[in-house]
Amino acid sequence: MTELSRVSPKHTPLYNWHKAHGARFIDFGGWEMPVQYTSIVAEHEAVRKTAGLFDISHMGEVFVEGPASLDFLQNLCTNDIATIEDGQAVYSHICNPQGGIIDDIFVYCLKFPSRYLVVVNASTSDKDFEWMKKNSRAGVELRNESDKWSMVAAQGPKAVQAAGNIFKSIPERHRVLETVFEGSPCFICRTGYTGEDGVEVIAPNAVIEKLADAFDLTPCGLGARDTLRLEAGYLLYGNDMDETLTPLEAGVPWAVKFDKGDFIGKDALAAQKNGGLKRKLTAFKLLERGVPRHGFKILCGANVAGLVTSGTFSPTLKTGIAMGYIPVGLSGPFAIECNGRAVPAETTRLPFYSGSKK
Amino acid sequence: MQDIEKLRFAKSHEWIAPDGTVGITDHAQKEVTDVVFVELPPLGKSAAQDGEVATLESVKAAFPINAPVAGKVSAVNDKVAKNPELINQAPYGDGWLFKLDVADAGSLKSLMTNAQYEEFLKTDAAHP
């Protein structure tokens, strides 16, 4: 019965490549993705010290084209999309009218102001595309091409060098370059989500295996991707952000530009800013042995102040690190309840660790 | 390094040697992934069969370790407390966890042989 009704997981075009490299898989929002090949810690260290390669083909690609593209994106996004010119990228949120985060995205300007590439999260790509269509306007063509494109991220201090062995030129940080690989169009983006320098390359499904081989880097799974992004202080949609939380509460006010004109969620966010935040994403470092995990209680004195949204053992800092939402103004003492034991913790600024990104 | 053929195995993936040394199986260390903390039992602690006596924490999750048979903890491996990665590197060698004074030597017969454990791993019961 359950066998029959089970929805078969989605696979990226690199699925067989992962198997050939000895991957172990987990479900990630309906996608069967590699969690690790050899060891989460070894893959984590490869990215911090040299470079590693991640399959992020499950992420979505939406092309926005037409003369009204910029106006459309300005209304859709919290960040100021008009500040990016041809070949530049910017991080932004998409909010609902209440200011709740629908997704966090990267917008790449291919041709100002009429051609953009929006990279969205895997689990939210269908929801995002519906929201985009609902808020579209004359002079905008939206194409969800998530099924046509694959994406690999080469990350680490040696990642750009590895990319340089494949491509003639590599864009500067937070820039994108349209180029060709094996006769197919592709996009090299000097972006990432690990805290290290590196590139994310978007290429057609048919050539992605060749591209992955061409990089010749340590294959890295989602396990290492999670510990790396958490050390770097990056939030994971669905864990650390959702539609009940705003970018201001999530500690990313720099991605909300109130002075750029109207956008969806602006009034609610402005009201929240003027009224003062009630809760805020707060980062914690454990002072004693323990590994904080998603859903563990954050204690302030004897009271539960909030729950851990993301937590792990930091392979770089060799200590437990966590983030979660707690009321503004609490001064502690803080602890995180790990398997029934209150482990003392101190608040800290993000990132937990600064990598090689510029 | 233990002689695997002399070990006996519990369904919760611990092994026990004839001298009472306890560790986790190679299959278990792969499931647990990189161990970062080990909480070992105090010396002299009495454990019932399948009673929880230790905890492994990996990057991924926390895993309880049970006593394969009833007994009293007579030694713990301080080396794994300092270098938890030994559990991943040598689960049948330097990665042993603790030693039990087995209460009833006959109780080891209730456990699986290596061949039986290999068969058990092919069943769904081995992968809760």
Side-chain angles (χ1 to χ4, degrees):
Chain A
M1 181 68 196
T2 49
E3 283 300 317
L4 288 172
S5 58
R6 187 183 288 166
V7 179
S8 57
K10 289 187 267 189
H11 293 148
T12 76
L14 283 172
Y15 182 66
N16 288 325
W17 189 89
H18 298 315
K19 278 214 244 178
H21 285 81
R24 285 175 44 193
F25 294 90
I26 48 154
D27 172 79
F28 185 78
W31 292 82
E32 195 177 356
M33 297 297 288
V35 61
Q36 69 171 70
Y37 301 83
T38 56
S39 137
I40 293 173
V41 170
E43 291 162 26
H44 180 106
E45 286 173 355
V47 171
R48 287 276 179 257
K49 287 174 185 157
T50 53
L53 192 80
F54 300 85
D55 177 17
I56 50 171
S57 302
H58 55 312
M59 296 188 77
E61 294 85 10
V62 176
F63 287 84
V64 180
E65 292 182 5
S69 293
L70 177 59
D71 293 341
F72 161 75
L73 287 170
Q74 283 290 57
N75 181 54
L76 187 79
C77 300
T78 56
N79 212 335
D80 191 353
I81 310 302
T83 59
I84 55 168
E85 297 168 0
D86 296 6
Q88 292 185 321
V90 69
Y91 175 86
S92 180
H93 290 110
I94 306 177
C95 286
N96 60 30
Q98 295 75 43
I101 305 170
I102 291 177
D103 201 7
D104 67 326
I105 60 171
F106 262 97
V107 181
Y108 300 92
C109 179
L110 303 176
K111 185 74 196 144
F112 184 90
S114 57
R115 189 164 165 254
Y116 293 84
L117 166 59
V118 180
V119 173
V120 303
N121 278 302
S123 58
T124 49
S125 68
D126 290 342
K127 174 185 84 167
D128 291 358
F129 191 62
E130 287 308 308
W131 182 249
M132 289 183 193
K133 281 197 292 190
K134 195 177 156 192
N135 290 286
S136 193
R137 57 184 67 200
V140 175
E141 190 204 343
L142 294 170
R143 291 197 318 277
N144 184 355
E145 296 197 358
S146 303
D147 292 342
K148 291 186 188 167
W149 299 90
S150 291
M151 192 169 183
V152 289
Q155 301 279 297
K158 304 261 194 235
V160 170
Q161 193 184 318
N165 294 333
I166 307 170
F167 300 102
K168 262 186 236 144
S169 60
I170 306 296
E172 293 298 306
R173 189 77 191 158
H174 286 132
R175 293 190 71 97
V176 56
L177 189 67
E178 289 188 80
T179 180
V180 173
F181 175 75
E182 293 283 323
S184 296
C186 67
F187 303 90
I188 309 175
C189 313
R190 186 84 172 264
T191 44
Y193 221 60
T194 61
E196 300 296 334
D197 195 4
V199 297
E200 298 174 303
V201 184
I202 301 169
N205 295 339
V207 300
I208 200 70
E209 221 175 278
K210 265 192 179 155
L211 181 63
D213 283 334
F215 269 104
D216 195 24
L217 296 172
T218 305
C220 298
L222 292 185
R225 193 168 167 80
D226 195 54
T227 51
L228 288 159
R229 68 96 192 160
L230 190 48
E231 282 184 352
Y234 294 138
L235 280 57
L236 175 65
Y237 192 84
N239 268 38
D240 311 309
M241 294 175 274
D242 60 37
E243 292 192 25
T244 69
L245 296 160
T246 73
L248 306 178
E249 292 170 320
V252 242
W254 54 266
V256 182
K257 298 295 192 313
F258 289 106
D259 56 0
K260 71 159 185 171
D262 217 11
F263 61 91
I264 301 167
K266 182 181 178 180
D267 293 346
L269 291 171
Q272 186 177 57
K273 189 184 177 193
N274 295 332
L277 292 180
K278 302 221 169 15
R279 60 181 171 178
K280 198 166 180 251
L281 187 86
T282 308
F284 297 92
K285 217 186 266 188
L286 294 196
L287 298 170
E288 293 172 18
R289 249 166 58 136
V291 185
R293 303 189 193 275
H294 179 81
F296 282 11
K297 288 173 188 151
I298 300 167
L299 306 174
C300 179
N303 301 316
V304 177
L307 298 176
V308 171
T309 54
S310 282
T312 192
F313 172 81
S314 161
T316 308
L317 306 173
K318 312 275 183 221
T319 183
I321 56 172
M323 49 172 76
Y325 290 84
I326 61 167
V328 168
L330 294 181
S331 56
F334 294 105
I336 293 178
E337 196 179 291
C338 302
N339 302 322
R341 197 164 50 92
V343 181
E346 63 179 14
T347 59
T348 180
R349 292 177 73 90
L350 291 175
F352 294 104
Y353 176 78
S354 296
S356 60
K357 80 179 158 79
K358 295 179 181 89
Chain B
M1 178 79 181
Q2 298 282 345
D3 178 353
I4 288 185
E5 294 309 321
K6 294 210 172 106
L7 303 181
R8 291 297 175 266
F9 298 84
K11 285 182 174 169
S12 46
H13 306 286
E14 296 88 1
W15 54 262
I16 182 165
D19 70 351
T21 304
V22 175
I24 65 168
T25 66
D26 187 50
H27 167 80
Q29 71 80 13
K30 282 183 184 144
E31 283 298 308
V32 169
T33 71
D34 311 274
V35 180
V36 293
F37 291 131
V38 189
E39 207 136 333
L40 291 170
L43 286 178
K45 183 187 168 81
S46 289
Q49 184 166 19
D50 299 328
E52 189 178 327
V53 281
T55 311
L56 301 187
E57 290 250 18
S58 77
V59 174
K60 207 165 85 177
F63 299 86
I65 303 300
N66 300 333
V69 294
K72 206 178 252 183
V73 176
S74 62
V76 295
N77 185 359
D78 291 325
K79 273 208 289 194
V80 295
K82 287 194 199 86
N83 302 298
E85 64 273 13
L86 284 174
I87 295 165
N88 296 107
Q89 290 163 359
Y92 299 118
D94 290 343
W96 65 277
L97 299 175
F98 54 88
K99 211 166 166 177
L100 281 180
D101 258 341
V102 177
D104 168 16
S107 62
L108 266 67
K109 291 200 179 76
S110 66
L111 302 173
M112 293 177 275
T113 63
N114 183 39
Q116 287 167 333
Y117 180 66
E118 290 293 324
E119 282 306 306
F120 172 68
L121 286 181
K122 292 176 190 160
T123 65
D124 283 345
H127 311 280

